[in-house]
């Protein structure tokens, strides 16, 4: 932990917000919810039936109405989306354009028989049609489930099947590093055996040839004669807005379910407090909408505020490492929000590249997704922000819906400490606790928990209330278990130390060990597999796989390695490609049969045996030691 601190004041001081939140968090959030436009008032602010929270019960609203309709009198001609394609294409959609497109598409969805509560899987690249699709679903009360377009057909299939989506929206292809990814082909493959899918809507992004199937509808044809008038549904505050699948350590990916009123209240407030959003701002978040950051802070939060968003289609370093700075300069970006992985990559190429661009329009810089190393924080602050932009390190999760820890220059000035996401947002209760749930003294490592319900919290896991309870609410009574290690220092600043469970964070992408291991084990020569992450200078973490082959397999290991990589790319997606694969004769397990991943991690990192004695799985040190020795002997890299 770094003792240096930096203070940048934006001149805002609203200390009342924290005071009010502390005195009564329920009436505090009740007041914040009034910033949204409701069709009818709620009767109860919070219905807390642990661990299920319902916010603003009985109130009705519509997310799309709050994102678009409310701006039509004041901002109809203001750009909502400034879109930049990877190949240099660009387009501008004003708030009026966006509403017209969304209404047309809402009517198109209705014409296909889609109804309130039905699910729609969206598998699109970063094009405005992705936002249009989400907002159209929200308008008619359908539940969207966006799948990151880098996921493979098997991963996509699992998600469509779990949500039982009636419609899949995709594109003929998407651009990635200059080549075309044939998304429609991946969808065709994914839905082959799925009866639930009635239609596939294909947006013609690249105009490549596609095989047309009976279920297919072209975006352009559906939109041609569709009306620009569509009344938004009046939805109860806890009506599900979306499902977003995220990875865990066991079983299949979990469908995190978010509601409407609470979620939007959380987004509206955090976006204002953390990013001090003004009508004149140009906001650029580099996240793909396929992940939660994109849902919350590319689509919903900025639109709620009538802000202008820059949306970029491709890879951040394509055609070269200066692409992001070129976009900041071209669109006069004032708020930039990215990941530590991207920053580490930019930093590696030195100061000359960003220094050759005009970045003077920037006034706030955000980061999210992984812990940021203090030296990267300082580089961001000095080289990109020229020491005049506060660094907004935001900690949160798919499950929390929005930011939970973050500096809030929109309401207060505090000294920033490089590497710390500072304090909880007002109206939330975060703590660092030990194994028994007792708060640990300052500067002591423990588990990060959330002790009171918050508006952005997930409603449940789609179709699995029991799993929701076990994953998040069984370790501690009445506290949400985040799965992260943290420290709270003597000044009350939180420092996130990374995952306490086996969830991997590779280049900021959340990847579950379970999905990865079952994908590797689907190779016909593999008996069993275990994966773990080890530190990487740029990506934060990379994946190492330990593989036990079936008896009698005599194949060349190099070709097996290639085959396994192919299986993973097809099973999960390229983001989950292991960096190294080790073949072993058996995996070390605890008496109850649990794989000792921490031990594997120590081996992969070449750590001393001493480190494994701190294992938390209860196995006796000597047992761990012999498993460790045996494994080391049996490894063939
Ligand atoms: C990690 C992304 C340190 C953390 C919004 C969390 C962070 C997981 C930070 C959630 C941060 C996110 N500092 N770690 N500022 N932000 N994380 O669901 O481990 O993709 O539990 O949501 O990312 O990842 P998810």
């Amino acid at each position: 932990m770094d003792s240096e601190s930096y203070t940048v004041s934006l001149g805002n001081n609203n200390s009342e917000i924290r005071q009010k939140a502390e005195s009564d968090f329920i009436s505090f959030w009740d007041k914040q919810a009034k910033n949204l436009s409701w069709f009818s008032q709620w009767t109860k602010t919070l219905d807390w039936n642990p661990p299920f929270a319902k916010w603003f019960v009985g109130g009705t609203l519509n997310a799309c109405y709050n994102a678009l309709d409310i701006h039509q009198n004041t901002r109809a001609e203001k750009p909502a989306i400034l879109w930049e394609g990877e190949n240099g294409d660009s387009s501008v959609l004003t708030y009026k354009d966006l509403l017209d497109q969304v209404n047309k598409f809402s009517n198109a969805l209705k014409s296909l028989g889609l109804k309130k509560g039905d699910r729609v899987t969206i598998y699109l690249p970063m094009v405005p049609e992705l936002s249009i699709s989400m907002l159209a679903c929200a308008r008619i009360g359908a539940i969207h489930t966006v799948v990151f377009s880098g996921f493979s057909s098997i991963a996509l299939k699992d998600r469509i099947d779990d949500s039982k989506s009636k419609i899949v929206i995709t594109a003929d292809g998407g651009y990635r590093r200059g080549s075309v990814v044939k998304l429609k082909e991946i969808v065709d493959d994914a839905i082959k055996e799925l009866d639930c899918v009635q239609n596939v809507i294909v947006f013609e992004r690249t105009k490549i040839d596609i095989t047309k199937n009976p279920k297919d509808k072209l975006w352009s044809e559906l939109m041609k004669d569709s009306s620009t008038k569509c009344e938004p549904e009046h939805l109860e505050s806890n009506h599900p807005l979306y499902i977003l699948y995220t990875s865990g350590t066991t079983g299949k990916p979990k469908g995190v379910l978010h509601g409407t009123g609470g979620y939007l209240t959380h987004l509206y407030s955090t976006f204002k407090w953390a990013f001090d959003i003004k009508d004149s701002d140009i906001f650029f978040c580099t996240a793909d909408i396929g992940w939660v950051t994109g849902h919350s802070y590319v689509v919903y939060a900025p639109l709620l505020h009538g802000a202008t968003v820059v949306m970029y289609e491709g890879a951040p370093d394509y055609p070269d490492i200066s692409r992001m700075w070129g976009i900041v300069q071209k669109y006069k970006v004032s708020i930039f929000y990215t990941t530590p992985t991207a920053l580490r990559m930019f930093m590696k190429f030195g100061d000359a590249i960003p220094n050759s661009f005009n970045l003077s329009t920037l006034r706030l810089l955000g980061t999210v997704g992984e812990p940021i190393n203090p030296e990267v924080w300082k580089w961001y602050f000095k080289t990109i922000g020229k020491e005049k932009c506060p660094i907004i390190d935001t900690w949160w999760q798919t499950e929390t819906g929005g930011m939970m820890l973050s500096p809030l220059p929109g309401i207060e000035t505090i000294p920033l400490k490089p590497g710390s996401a500072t304090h909880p947002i007002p109206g939330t209760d975060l703590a660092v606790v030990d194994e028994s749930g007792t708060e640990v003294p300052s500067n002591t490592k423990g588990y990060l928990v959330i002790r009171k319900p918050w508006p952005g919290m997930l409603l449940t896991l789609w179709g699995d209330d029991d799993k929701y309870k076990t994953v998040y609410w069984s370790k501690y009574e009445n506290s949400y278990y985040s799965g992260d290690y943290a420290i709270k220092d003597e000044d009350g600043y939180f420092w996130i130390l990374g995952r306490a469970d086996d969830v991997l964070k590779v280049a900021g992408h959340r990847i579950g060990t379970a999905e990865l291991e079952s994908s590797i084990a689907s190779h016909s020569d593999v008996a069993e597999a275990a994966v773990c992450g080890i530190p990487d200078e740029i990506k934060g973490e990379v994946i190492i796989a330990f593989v036990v082959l079936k008896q009698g397999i005599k194949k060349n290991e190099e070709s097996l390695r290639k085959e396994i990589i192919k299986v993973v790319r097809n099973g999960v997606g390229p983001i989950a490609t292991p960096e190294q694969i080790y073949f072993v004769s058996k995996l070390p397990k605890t008496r109850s049969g649990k794989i000792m991943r921490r031990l594997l991690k120590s081996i992969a990192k070449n750590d001393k045996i001493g480190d494994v004695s701190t294992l938390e799985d209860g196995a006796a040190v000597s047992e761990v030691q012999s498993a460790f020795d045996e494994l080391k002997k049996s490894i063939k890299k």
Side-chain angles (χ1 to χ4, degrees), residues 331-373:
Y331 294 99
K332 303 190 167 42
V333 170
S334 57
I335 308 174
F336 182 65
Y337 192 26
T338 195
T339 59
T341 289
L343 294 170
R344 286 189 290 259
M345 185 170 74
F346 301 143
M347 186 175 145
K348 196 177 96 182
F349 286 87
D351 294 3
I353 297 168
N355 283 347
S356 66
F357 288 86
N358 179 358
L359 307 179
S360 63
T361 49
L362 290 171
R363 65 181 198 96
L364 287 108
L365 298 171
T367 156
V368 62
E370 328 148 58
I372 181 164
N373 337 38

Side-chain angles (χ1 to χ4, degrees), residues 606-623:
N606 252 332
D607 275 355
K608 289 191 193 77
I609 297 175
D611 281 344
V612 298
S613 62
T614 59
L615 272 174
E616 287 140 358
D617 53 31
V621 177
S622 63
E623 197 182 313

Side-chain angles (χ1 to χ4, degrees), residues 244 246-247 291-293 297 337 340 367-372 392-400 402 405 419-421 448 480 482-485 495-501 503-505 508-511:
L244 182 57
T246 189
S247 314
W291 306 97
V292 76
T293 306
Y297 298 104
Y337 192 26
T367 156
V368 62
E370 328 148 58
I372 181 164
I392 320 299
D393 179 358
T394 64
W395 175 87
W396 56 293
Q397 308 180 299
T398 305
E399 294 85 344
T400 68
L405 286 169
S420 165
L448 183 64
Y480 166 91
S482 70
D484 278 331
Y485 281 127
W495 301 75
I496 305 295
L497 306 175
R499 298 290 306 192
D501 57 12
V503 167
L504 306 172
K505 268 282 173 161
H509 297 320
R510 183 160 159 185
I511 300 173

